[in-house]
Amino acid sequence: MSDANPTFRAATPADVPALVELVQASYRGESSRAGWTTEADILDGQRTDPDMVAEAVSGPGSRMLIAEDGGALVACCQLEDRGGHAYFGMFAVDPRRQGGGLGKKVLAEAERVARDEWGAKEMHMTVISVREDLIAWYVRRGYARTGQKSPFPYGDERFGLPKRDDLEFELLVKKLA
């Protein structure tokens, strides 16, 4: 198999350690710099922890979607059914596999699940507003910037250690119908 044709499945509790490792490697630290997008310049510390991932795997209305290549975990995302719309988060692609179309495939599968299995009319996500390259990637895939902002959880080390004081989230939305 190749990144162009990953296999997808729902994560199980046994996947939690590997998911934490993938998400951390994709967002923070030197390993994240192997890809085209990283948070390493704006945040240190962790991106997630086993408890947060376990909740995403097993929580009500939540699913962690895994993409595998030859049985190896190469990407993931969290989906939440929020009644009428779905929330997309914790999106991670192995940094060494970024830029080859794998992320587009994962996003398309997440949208399919939300629309076809949950009946969601929209996909919502929040992105740190200073991550202009990542926001532009989502806009190219049909997501609209809403201008609606929410605060970054400063002081909660579960979400990382900010390197700057102007972090906030922006809501992006895409119609799925």
Side-chain angles (χ1 to χ4, degrees):
M1 295 194 196
S2 70
D3 289 347
N5 295 302
T7 56
F8 294 102
R9 67 177 176 85
T12 68
D15 295 310
V16 169
L19 288 165
V20 171
E21 185 176 323
L22 174 65
V23 171
Q24 188 68 23
S26 298
Y27 281 85
R28 307 281 164 78
E30 287 307 308
S31 63
S32 69
R33 295 184 190 281
W36 67 267
T37 185
T38 180
E39 289 180 352
D41 295 323
I42 60 172
L43 291 156
D44 276 331
Q46 74 177 34
R47 167 58 176 82
T48 193
D49 62 32
D51 290 339
M52 287 189 276
V53 174
E55 178 64 23
V57 168
S58 302
S62 182
R63 179 184 304 178
M64 280 295 288
L65 183 65
I66 285 180
E68 294 178 318
D69 179 6
L73 173 64
V74 293
C76 68
C77 67
Q78 177 186 12
L79 291 170
E80 291 180 16
D81 184 352
R82 295 189 175 175
H85 78 270
Y87 181 81
F88 177 86
M90 214 179 305
F91 184 30
V93 175
D94 182 323
R96 297 163 297 178
R97 294 176 181 253
Q98 291 178 13
L102 178 58
K104 293 177 199 174
K105 295 283 186 179
V106 174
L107 184 59
E109 177 65 7
E111 291 169 357
R112 185 202 65 77
V113 167
R115 181 187 58 248
D116 297 349
E117 296 183 23
W118 294 346
K121 303 294 184 208
E122 292 182 335
M123 184 77 85
H124 292 199
M125 68 174 72
T126 54
V127 180
I128 297 174
S129 62
V130 298
R131 298 199 60 205
E132 291 292 339
D133 59 344
L134 183 58
I135 291 172
W137 187 86
Y138 287 120
V139 168
R140 289 191 302 273
R141 270 133 208 96
Y143 286 81
R145 297 183 82 159
T146 65
Q148 183 178 333
K149 306 283 177 80
S150 57
F152 184 85
Y154 283 94
D156 188 342
E157 292 184 12
R158 293 178 307 150
F159 299 99
L161 304 169
K163 295 181 176 184
R164 43 193 293 178
D165 63 3
D166 62 344
L167 302 181
E168 61 186 351
F169 296 103
E170 181 173 352
L171 176 67
L172 306 181
V173 176
K174 180 179 181 178
K175 300 277 187 209
L176 298 178

